[in-house]
Amino acid sequence: MRGGTMNNYHLITGPEAEALSKEELRNMYNDAVETIHDLQMRLHEINEENDLLWEDYEELSNKYYG
């Protein structure tokens, strides 16, 4: 996802794939795998942040409301 946009979705059809070289397909595949990995890492970070925020919220809630 480095430098790419998140709104650029396009599924490759059979004829389009046949027109691409193996190197182009490999590069596209590797880019997709890298994007998926980056997104999974970011999701993991966001989930950890969310868990910490909920812990803080519960601590404050218990402190003020019992």
Side-chain angles (χ1 to χ4, degrees):
M1 201 169 91
R2 300 169 200 232
T5 64
M6 292 193 51
N7 298 345
N8 189 8
Y9 303 110
H10 177 72
L11 297 177
I12 299 172
T13 64
E16 289 173 324
E18 290 171 3
L20 296 170
S21 70
K22 286 182 182 179
E23 182 179 357
E24 289 171 314
L25 287 171
R26 184 182 66 239
N27 289 339
M28 291 171 75
Y29 173 83
N30 287 338
D31 287 346
V33 169
E34 183 178 324
T35 298
I36 291 167
H37 178 263
D38 290 346
L39 291 171
Q40 285 177 328
M41 294 300 292
R42 183 63 186 129
L43 180 60
H44 178 73
E45 292 169 1
I46 289 170
N47 281 333
E48 284 184 340
E49 289 175 19
N50 189 53
D51 289 344
L52 292 173
L53 287 171
W54 273 110
E55 288 174 15
D56 290 344
Y57 169 79
E58 288 176 0
E59 182 180 326
L60 286 172
S61 180
N62 287 334
K63 181 178 180 180
Y64 289 106
Y65 303 110

